[in-house]
PDB file of all heavy atoms in Angstrom:
ATOM      1  N   GLY O 364     245.635 105.481 -45.061  1.00 98.00           N
ATOM      2  CA  GLY O 364     244.595 104.521 -44.683  1.00 98.00           C
ATOM      3  C   GLY O 364     243.207 105.050 -45.025  1.00 98.00           C
ATOM      4  O   GLY O 364     242.706 105.964 -44.386  1.00 98.00           O
ATOM      5  N   GLY O 366     240.343 103.703 -44.529  1.00 98.00           N
ATOM      6  CA  GLY O 366     239.442 102.790 -43.833  1.00 98.00           C
ATOM      7  C   GLY O 366     238.327 103.529 -43.139  1.00 98.00           C
ATOM      8  O   GLY O 366     237.872 104.585 -43.599  1.00 98.00           O
ATOM      9  N   THR O 367     237.903 102.991 -42.015  1.00 98.00           N
ATOM     10  CA  THR O 367     236.762 103.553 -41.293  1.00 98.00           C
ATOM     11  C   THR O 367     237.010 105.027 -40.961  1.00 98.00           C
ATOM     12  O   THR O 367     236.284 105.921 -41.406  1.00 98.00           O
ATOM     13  CB  THR O 367     236.543 102.759 -39.982  1.00 98.00           C
ATOM     14  OG1 THR O 367     236.601 101.363 -40.275  1.00 98.00           O
ATOM     15  CG2 THR O 367     235.195 103.089 -39.351  1.00 98.00           C
ATOM     16  N   ALA O 368     238.056 105.288 -40.176  1.00 99.00           N
ATOM     17  CA  ALA O 368     238.307 106.658 -39.727  1.00 99.00           C
ATOM     18  C   ALA O 368     238.837 107.531 -40.855  1.00 99.00           C
ATOM     19  O   ALA O 368     238.446 108.703 -40.992  1.00 99.00           O
ATOM     20  CB  ALA O 368     239.298 106.633 -38.563  1.00 99.00           C
ATOM     21  N   GLU O 388     245.550 104.315 -49.767  1.00 98.00           N
ATOM     22  CA  GLU O 388     244.916 103.096 -49.257  1.00 98.00           C
ATOM     23  C   GLU O 388     245.546 101.883 -49.942  1.00 98.00           C
ATOM     24  O   GLU O 388     245.646 101.832 -51.170  1.00 98.00           O
ATOM     25  CB  GLU O 388     243.395 103.135 -49.508  1.00 98.00           C
ATOM     26  CG  GLU O 388     242.659 101.813 -49.316  1.00 98.00           C
ATOM     27  CD  GLU O 388     242.884 101.156 -47.943  1.00 98.00           C
ATOM     28  OE1 GLU O 388     242.875 101.869 -46.934  1.00 98.00           O
ATOM     29  OE2 GLU O 388     243.083  99.925 -47.913  1.00 98.00           O
ATOM     30  N   ALA O 389     245.916 100.911 -49.119  1.00 98.00           N
ATOM     31  CA  ALA O 389     246.573  99.718 -49.658  1.00 98.00           C
ATOM     32  C   ALA O 389     245.605  98.824 -50.439  1.00 98.00           C
ATOM     33  O   ALA O 389     246.005  98.153 -51.393  1.00 98.00           O
ATOM     34  CB  ALA O 389     247.200  98.931 -48.514  1.00 98.00           C
ATOM     35  N   TRP O 416     243.565  91.696 -44.678  1.00 98.00           N
ATOM     36  CA  TRP O 416     245.023  91.616 -44.544  1.00 98.00           C
ATOM     37  C   TRP O 416     245.460  90.223 -44.088  1.00 98.00           C
ATOM     38  O   TRP O 416     246.575  89.794 -44.365  1.00 98.00           O
ATOM     39  CB  TRP O 416     245.518  92.627 -43.515  1.00 98.00           C
ATOM     40  CG  TRP O 416     245.561  94.046 -43.988  1.00 98.00           C
ATOM     41  CD1 TRP O 416     244.609  95.006 -43.806  1.00 98.00           C
ATOM     42  CD2 TRP O 416     246.620  94.679 -44.724  1.00 98.00           C
ATOM     43  NE1 TRP O 416     245.011  96.196 -44.375  1.00 98.00           N
ATOM     44  CE2 TRP O 416     246.245  96.021 -44.938  1.00 98.00           C
ATOM     45  CE3 TRP O 416     247.852  94.247 -45.210  1.00 98.00           C
ATOM     46  CZ2 TRP O 416     247.058  96.927 -45.627  1.00 98.00           C
ATOM     47  CZ3 TRP O 416     248.659  95.155 -45.891  1.00 98.00           C
ATOM     48  CH2 TRP O 416     248.255  96.470 -46.099  1.00 98.00           C
ATOM     49  N   ASN O 434     241.754  89.236 -38.460  1.00 97.00           N
ATOM     50  CA  ASN O 434     241.340  89.767 -39.748  1.00 97.00           C
ATOM     51  C   ASN O 434     241.213  91.277 -39.656  1.00 97.00           C
ATOM     52  O   ASN O 434     240.850  91.807 -38.601  1.00 97.00           O
ATOM     53  CB  ASN O 434     239.981  89.174 -40.163  1.00 97.00           C
ATOM     54  CG  ASN O 434     239.964  87.673 -39.977  1.00 97.00           C
ATOM     55  OD1 ASN O 434     239.645  87.170 -38.909  1.00 97.00           O
ATOM     56  ND2 ASN O 434     240.353  86.964 -41.002  1.00 97.00           N
ATOM     57  N   GLY O 436     240.157  94.705 -42.381  1.00 98.00           N
ATOM     58  CA  GLY O 436     239.763  95.102 -43.728  1.00 98.00           C
ATOM     59  C   GLY O 436     240.904  95.722 -44.520  1.00 98.00           C
ATOM     60  O   GLY O 436     241.618  96.574 -44.018  1.00 98.00           O
ATOM     61  N   LYS O 437     241.053  95.261 -45.770  1.00 98.00           N
ATOM     62  CA  LYS O 437     242.041  95.851 -46.679  1.00 98.00           C
ATOM     63  C   LYS O 437     241.297  96.217 -47.957  1.00 98.00           C
ATOM     64  O   LYS O 437     241.263  95.457 -48.924  1.00 98.00           O
ATOM     65  CB  LYS O 437     243.154  94.838 -46.980  1.00 98.00           C
ATOM     66  CG  LYS O 437     244.262  95.410 -47.863  1.00 98.00           C
ATOM     67  CD  LYS O 437     245.279  94.355 -48.218  1.00 98.00           C
ATOM     68  CE  LYS O 437     246.415  94.951 -49.030  1.00 98.00           C
ATOM     69  NZ  LYS O 437     247.377  93.941 -49.457  1.00 98.00           N
ATOM     70  N   MET O 438     240.671  97.348 -47.936  1.00 98.00           N
ATOM     71  CA  MET O 438     239.892  97.821 -49.093  1.00 98.00           C
ATOM     72  C   MET O 438     239.419  99.225 -48.764  1.00 98.00           C
ATOM     73  O   MET O 438     239.603  99.703 -47.635  1.00 98.00           O
ATOM     74  CB  MET O 438     238.701  96.890 -49.356  1.00 98.00           C
ATOM     75  CG  MET O 438     237.707  96.797 -48.220  1.00 98.00           C
ATOM     76  SD  MET O 438     236.480  95.500 -48.508  1.00 98.00           S
ATOM     77  CE  MET O 438     236.641  94.534 -47.002  1.00 98.00           C
ATOM     78  N   GLY O 441     238.094  99.942 -45.328  1.00 98.00           N
ATOM     79  CA  GLY O 441     238.811  99.179 -44.306  1.00 98.00           C
ATOM     80  C   GLY O 441     237.900  98.189 -43.589  1.00 98.00           C
ATOM     81  O   GLY O 441     237.091  97.492 -44.210  1.00 98.00           O
ATOM     82  N   SER O 442     238.032  98.133 -42.288  1.00 98.00           N
ATOM     83  CA  SER O 442     237.276  97.143 -41.518  1.00 98.00           C
ATOM     84  C   SER O 442     235.788  97.458 -41.470  1.00 98.00           C
ATOM     85  O   SER O 442     234.981  96.569 -41.184  1.00 98.00           O
ATOM     86  CB  SER O 442     237.852  97.042 -40.103  1.00 98.00           C
ATOM     87  OG  SER O 442     239.199  96.644 -40.169  1.00 98.00           O
ATOM     88  N   ASN O 446     233.383  94.221 -41.411  1.00 98.00           N
ATOM     89  CA  ASN O 446     232.898  93.856 -40.078  1.00 98.00           C
ATOM     90  C   ASN O 446     231.488  93.264 -40.094  1.00 98.00           C
ATOM     91  O   ASN O 446     230.870  93.123 -41.158  1.00 98.00           O
ATOM     92  CB  ASN O 446     233.034  95.034 -39.100  1.00 98.00           C
ATOM     93  CG  ASN O 446     232.058  96.160 -39.383  1.00 98.00           C
ATOM     94  OD1 ASN O 446     231.005  95.965 -39.980  1.00 98.00           O
ATOM     95  ND2 ASN O 446     232.412  97.360 -38.949  1.00 98.00           N
ATOM     96  N   PHE O 447     231.003  92.915 -38.928  1.00 97.00           N
ATOM     97  CA  PHE O 447     229.729  92.199 -38.822  1.00 97.00           C
ATOM     98  C   PHE O 447     228.552  93.154 -38.600  1.00 97.00           C
ATOM     99  O   PHE O 447     227.453  92.724 -38.242  1.00 97.00           O
ATOM    100  CB  PHE O 447     229.811  91.150 -37.708  1.00 97.00           C
ATOM    101  CG  PHE O 447     230.622  89.927 -38.100  1.00 97.00           C
ATOM    102  CD1 PHE O 447     231.444  89.935 -39.222  1.00 97.00           C
ATOM    103  CD2 PHE O 447     230.554  88.757 -37.355  1.00 97.00           C
ATOM    104  CE1 PHE O 447     232.187  88.824 -39.592  1.00 97.00           C
ATOM    105  CE2 PHE O 447     231.289  87.625 -37.715  1.00 97.00           C
ATOM    106  CZ  PHE O 447     232.110  87.663 -38.829  1.00 97.00           C
ATOM    107  N   MET O 448     228.808  94.453 -38.755  1.00 98.00           N
ATOM    108  CA  MET O 448     227.758  95.486 -38.835  1.00 98.00           C
ATOM    109  C   MET O 448     227.029  95.787 -37.536  1.00 98.00           C
ATOM    110  O   MET O 448     226.067  96.567 -37.547  1.00 98.00           O
ATOM    111  CB  MET O 448     226.746  95.138 -39.946  1.00 98.00           C
ATOM    112  CG  MET O 448     227.316  95.266 -41.328  1.00 98.00           C
ATOM    113  SD  MET O 448     226.446  94.318 -42.578  1.00 98.00           S
ATOM    114  CE  MET O 448     227.098  92.677 -42.299  1.00 98.00           C
ATOM    115  N   ILE O 449     227.408  95.163 -36.445  1.00 97.00           N
ATOM    116  CA  ILE O 449     226.739  95.485 -35.178  1.00 97.00           C
ATOM    117  C   ILE O 449     227.047  96.933 -34.849  1.00 97.00           C
ATOM    118  O   ILE O 449     228.212  97.348 -34.893  1.00 97.00           O
ATOM    119  CB  ILE O 449     227.215  94.538 -34.062  1.00 97.00           C
ATOM    120  CG1 ILE O 449     226.690  93.129 -34.354  1.00 97.00           C
ATOM    121  CG2 ILE O 449     226.761  95.027 -32.685  1.00 97.00           C
ATOM    122  CD1 ILE O 449     227.333  92.042 -33.528  1.00 97.00           C
ATOM    123  N   GLN O 588     250.741 101.131 -50.688  1.00 98.00           N
ATOM    124  CA  GLN O 588     251.019 100.934 -49.256  1.00 98.00           C
ATOM    125  C   GLN O 588     252.047 101.945 -48.766  1.00 98.00           C
ATOM    126  O   GLN O 588     253.158 102.024 -49.311  1.00 98.00           O
ATOM    127  CB  GLN O 588     251.524  99.506 -49.015  1.00 98.00           C
ATOM    128  CG  GLN O 588     251.688  99.213 -47.527  1.00 98.00           C
ATOM    129  CD  GLN O 588     251.857  97.737 -47.235  1.00 98.00           C
ATOM    130  OE1 GLN O 588     251.499  96.880 -48.051  1.00 98.00           O
ATOM    131  NE2 GLN O 588     252.396  97.423 -46.080  1.00 98.00           N
ATOM    132  N   ALA O 589     251.659 102.705 -47.753  1.00 98.00           N
ATOM    133  CA  ALA O 589     252.585 103.674 -47.162  1.00 98.00           C
ATOM    134  C   ALA O 589     253.680 102.927 -46.424  1.00 98.00           C
ATOM    135  O   ALA O 589     253.430 101.916 -45.755  1.00 98.00           O
ATOM    136  CB  ALA O 589     251.843 104.591 -46.214  1.00 98.00           C
ATOM    137  N   SER O 626     245.733 106.777 -40.289  1.00 99.00           N
ATOM    138  CA  SER O 626     244.460 106.099 -39.995  1.00 99.00           C
ATOM    139  C   SER O 626     244.560 104.664 -40.456  1.00 99.00           C
ATOM    140  O   SER O 626     243.666 104.154 -41.134  1.00 99.00           O
ATOM    141  CB  SER O 626     243.303 106.817 -40.702  1.00 99.00           C
ATOM    142  OG  SER O 626     243.139 108.119 -40.203  1.00 99.00           O
ATOM    143  N   THR O 627     245.651 104.012 -40.115  1.00 98.00           N
ATOM    144  CA  THR O 627     245.875 102.655 -40.619  1.00 98.00           C
ATOM    145  C   THR O 627     245.434 101.570 -39.630  1.00 98.00           C
ATOM    146  O   THR O 627     245.669 100.394 -39.868  1.00 98.00           O
ATOM    147  CB  THR O 627     247.366 102.469 -41.000  1.00 98.00           C
ATOM    148  OG1 THR O 627     248.191 103.053 -39.989  1.00 98.00           O
ATOM    149  CG2 THR O 627     247.674 103.146 -42.300  1.00 98.00           C
ATOM    150  N   ARG O 631     248.437  98.547 -37.572  1.00 98.00           N
ATOM    151  CA  ARG O 631     249.383  99.070 -38.550  1.00 98.00           C
ATOM    152  C   ARG O 631     249.975 100.413 -38.145  1.00 98.00           C
ATOM    153  O   ARG O 631     251.109 100.733 -38.512  1.00 98.00           O
ATOM    154  CB  ARG O 631     248.690  99.245 -39.903  1.00 98.00           C
ATOM    155  CG  ARG O 631     248.553  97.973 -40.680  1.00 98.00           C
ATOM    156  CD  ARG O 631     249.885  97.560 -41.284  1.00 98.00           C
ATOM    157  NE  ARG O 631     249.713  96.365 -42.084  1.00 98.00           N
ATOM    158  CZ  ARG O 631     250.680  95.750 -42.736  1.00 98.00           C
ATOM    159  NH1 ARG O 631     251.915  96.207 -42.686  1.00 98.00           N
ATOM    160  NH2 ARG O 631     250.454  94.665 -43.429  1.00 98.00           N
ATOM    161  N   TRP O 880     237.922  91.009 -32.982  1.00 97.00           N
ATOM    162  CA  TRP O 880     238.434  91.996 -33.954  1.00 97.00           C
ATOM    163  C   TRP O 880     238.293  93.429 -33.436  1.00 97.00           C
ATOM    164  O   TRP O 880     238.040  94.342 -34.198  1.00 97.00           O
ATOM    165  CB  TRP O 880     237.711  91.869 -35.297  1.00 97.00           C
ATOM    166  CG  TRP O 880     237.721  90.501 -35.891  1.00 97.00           C
ATOM    167  CD1 TRP O 880     238.771  89.890 -36.504  1.00 97.00           C
ATOM    168  CD2 TRP O 880     236.625  89.574 -35.974  1.00 97.00           C
ATOM    169  NE1 TRP O 880     238.413  88.645 -36.947  1.00 97.00           N
ATOM    170  CE2 TRP O 880     237.093  88.426 -36.643  1.00 97.00           C
ATOM    171  CE3 TRP O 880     235.295  89.594 -35.557  1.00 97.00           C
ATOM    172  CZ2 TRP O 880     236.288  87.320 -36.887  1.00 97.00           C
ATOM    173  CZ3 TRP O 880     234.494  88.498 -35.797  1.00 97.00           C
ATOM    174  CH2 TRP O 880     234.987  87.388 -36.457  1.00 97.00           C
ATOM    175  N   ASP O 913     242.380 106.832 -35.497  1.00 98.00           N
ATOM    176  CA  ASP O 913     241.817 105.497 -35.737  1.00 98.00           C
ATOM    177  C   ASP O 913     241.610 104.816 -34.384  1.00 98.00           C
ATOM    178  O   ASP O 913     241.742 105.465 -33.331  1.00 98.00           O
ATOM    179  CB  ASP O 913     242.698 104.653 -36.688  1.00 98.00           C
ATOM    180  CG  ASP O 913     244.128 104.455 -36.180  1.00 98.00           C
ATOM    181  OD1 ASP O 913     244.330 104.495 -34.955  1.00 98.00           O
ATOM    182  OD2 ASP O 913     245.041 104.263 -37.003  1.00 98.00           O
ATOM    183  N   ALA O 914     241.311 103.523 -34.396  1.00 98.00           N
ATOM    184  CA  ALA O 914     240.993 102.823 -33.145  1.00 98.00           C
ATOM    185  C   ALA O 914     242.185 102.778 -32.189  1.00 98.00           C
ATOM    186  O   ALA O 914     242.011 102.551 -30.991  1.00 98.00           O
ATOM    187  CB  ALA O 914     240.522 101.396 -33.455  1.00 98.00           C
ATOM    188  N   HIS O 924     230.781  96.829 -28.930  1.00 98.00           N
ATOM    189  CA  HIS O 924     231.411  96.752 -30.250  1.00 98.00           C
ATOM    190  C   HIS O 924     231.893  98.154 -30.612  1.00 98.00           C
ATOM    191  O   HIS O 924     231.255  99.142 -30.254  1.00 98.00           O
ATOM    192  CB  HIS O 924     230.412  96.218 -31.271  1.00 98.00           C
ATOM    193  CG  HIS O 924     230.029  94.784 -30.991  1.00 98.00           C
ATOM    194  ND1 HIS O 924     230.365  93.755 -31.827  1.00 98.00           N
ATOM    195  CD2 HIS O 924     229.378  94.233 -29.939  1.00 98.00           C
ATOM    196  CE1 HIS O 924     229.938  92.611 -31.303  1.00 98.00           C
ATOM    197  NE2 HIS O 924     229.322  92.874 -30.159  1.00 98.00           N
ATOM    198  N   ILE O 925     233.001  98.235 -31.332  1.00 98.00           N
ATOM    199  CA  ILE O 925     233.705  99.524 -31.312  1.00 98.00           C
ATOM    200  C   ILE O 925     233.562 100.398 -32.547  1.00 98.00           C
ATOM    201  O   ILE O 925     234.040 101.526 -32.558  1.00 98.00           O
ATOM    202  CB  ILE O 925     235.207  99.326 -31.016  1.00 98.00           C
ATOM    203  CG1 ILE O 925     235.918  98.584 -32.149  1.00 98.00           C
ATOM    204  CG2 ILE O 925     235.400  98.582 -29.698  1.00 98.00           C
ATOM    205  CD1 ILE O 925     237.446  98.560 -31.973  1.00 98.00           C
ATOM    206  N   GLN O 926     232.899  99.922 -33.620  1.00 98.00           N
ATOM    207  CA  GLN O 926     232.959 100.738 -34.836  1.00 98.00           C
ATOM    208  C   GLN O 926     232.304 102.112 -34.661  1.00 98.00           C
ATOM    209  O   GLN O 926     232.822 103.120 -35.156  1.00 98.00           O
ATOM    210  CB  GLN O 926     232.372 100.008 -36.053  1.00 98.00           C
ATOM    211  CG  GLN O 926     230.889  99.730 -36.015  1.00 98.00           C
ATOM    212  CD  GLN O 926     230.322  99.426 -37.413  1.00 98.00           C
ATOM    213  OE1 GLN O 926     230.848  99.871 -38.418  1.00 98.00           O
ATOM    214  NE2 GLN O 926     229.238  98.649 -37.460  1.00 98.00           N
TER     215      GLN O 926
HETATM  216  C1  FAD E 107     235.967  90.871 -39.131  1.00 73.70           C
HETATM  217  C2  FAD E 107     235.611  92.055 -38.278  1.00 73.70           C
HETATM  218  C3  FAD E 107     234.359  92.113 -37.695  1.00 73.70           C
HETATM  219  C4  FAD E 107     234.022  93.215 -36.905  1.00 73.70           C
HETATM  220  N1  FAD E 107     232.744  93.338 -36.458  1.00 73.70           N
HETATM  221  C5  FAD E 107     232.366  94.485 -35.852  1.00 73.70           C
HETATM  222  C6  FAD E 107     231.001  94.711 -35.551  1.00 73.70           C
HETATM  223  O1  FAD E 107     230.112  93.910 -35.889  1.00 73.70           O
HETATM  224  N2  FAD E 107     230.672  95.861 -34.908  1.00 73.70           N
HETATM  225  C7  FAD E 107     231.619  96.779 -34.539  1.00 73.70           C
HETATM  226  O2  FAD E 107     231.263  97.783 -33.907  1.00 73.70           O
HETATM  227  N3  FAD E 107     232.927  96.593 -34.848  1.00 73.70           N
HETATM  228  C8  FAD E 107     233.309  95.497 -35.523  1.00 73.70           C
HETATM  229  N4  FAD E 107     234.606  95.336 -35.903  1.00 73.70           N
HETATM  230  C9  FAD E 107     235.599  96.349 -35.499  1.00 73.70           C
HETATM  231  C10 FAD E 107     235.580  97.626 -36.342  1.00 73.70           C
HETATM  232  O3  FAD E 107     235.103  97.390 -37.638  1.00 73.70           O
HETATM  233  C11 FAD E 107     236.995  98.202 -36.390  1.00 73.70           C
HETATM  234  O4  FAD E 107     237.507  98.320 -35.099  1.00 73.70           O
HETATM  235  C12 FAD E 107     237.070  99.573 -37.028  1.00 73.70           C
HETATM  236  O5  FAD E 107     236.426  99.540 -38.279  1.00 73.70           O
HETATM  237  C13 FAD E 107     238.530  99.996 -37.173  1.00 73.70           C
HETATM  238  O6  FAD E 107     238.612 101.239 -37.849  1.00 73.70           O
HETATM  239  P1  FAD E 107     240.022 101.899 -38.144  1.00 73.70           P
HETATM  240  O7  FAD E 107     239.762 103.153 -38.873  1.00 73.70           O
HETATM  241  O8  FAD E 107     240.808 101.966 -36.886  1.00 73.70           O
HETATM  242  O9  FAD E 107     240.807 100.868 -39.073  1.00 73.70           O
HETATM  243  P2  FAD E 107     240.384 100.223 -40.465  1.00 73.70           P
HETATM  244  O10 FAD E 107     238.961 100.457 -40.762  1.00 73.70           O
HETATM  245  O11 FAD E 107     240.849  98.815 -40.438  1.00 73.70           O
HETATM  246  O12 FAD E 107     241.209 101.067 -41.522  1.00 73.70           O
HETATM  247  C14 FAD E 107     242.593 100.946 -41.730  1.00 73.70           C
HETATM  248  C15 FAD E 107     242.854 101.116 -43.227  1.00 73.70           C
HETATM  249  O13 FAD E 107     244.224 101.384 -43.444  1.00 73.70           O
HETATM  250  C16 FAD E 107     244.666 100.629 -44.542  1.00 73.70           C
HETATM  251  N5  FAD E 107     246.109 100.447 -44.367  1.00 73.70           N
HETATM  252  C17 FAD E 107     246.735  99.786 -43.376  1.00 73.70           C
HETATM  253  N6  FAD E 107     248.068  99.928 -43.516  1.00 73.70           N
HETATM  254  C18 FAD E 107     248.267 100.695 -44.606  1.00 73.70           C
HETATM  255  C19 FAD E 107     249.426 101.228 -45.220  1.00 73.70           C
HETATM  256  N7  FAD E 107     250.646 100.990 -44.748  1.00 73.70           N
HETATM  257  N8  FAD E 107     249.268 101.986 -46.337  1.00 73.70           N
HETATM  258  C20 FAD E 107     248.043 102.249 -46.818  1.00 73.70           C
HETATM  259  N9  FAD E 107     246.904 101.780 -46.256  1.00 73.70           N
HETATM  260  C21 FAD E 107     247.021 101.027 -45.159  1.00 73.70           C
HETATM  261  C22 FAD E 107     243.868  99.352 -44.469  1.00 73.70           C
HETATM  262  O14 FAD E 107     243.850  98.678 -45.685  1.00 73.70           O
HETATM  263  C23 FAD E 107     242.508  99.872 -44.031  1.00 73.70           C
HETATM  264  O15 FAD E 107     241.703 100.219 -45.117  1.00 73.70           O
HETATM  265  C24 FAD E 107     234.975  94.244 -36.673  1.00 73.70           C
HETATM  266  C25 FAD E 107     236.233  94.175 -37.283  1.00 73.70           C
HETATM  267  C26 FAD E 107     236.557  93.101 -38.088  1.00 73.70           C
HETATM  268  C27 FAD E 107     237.917  93.059 -38.744  1.00 73.70           C
END
Side-chain angles (χ1 to χ4, degrees):
T367 314
E388 167 54 42
W416 284 96
N434 313 88
K437 183 184 183 183
M438 61 189 126
S442 300
N446 71 24
F447 285 14
M448 290 158 281
I449 291 167
Q588 186 166 340
S626 296
T627 43
R631 280 285 183 180
W880 306 285
D913 58 27
H924 294 247
I925 66 171
Q926 67 162 333

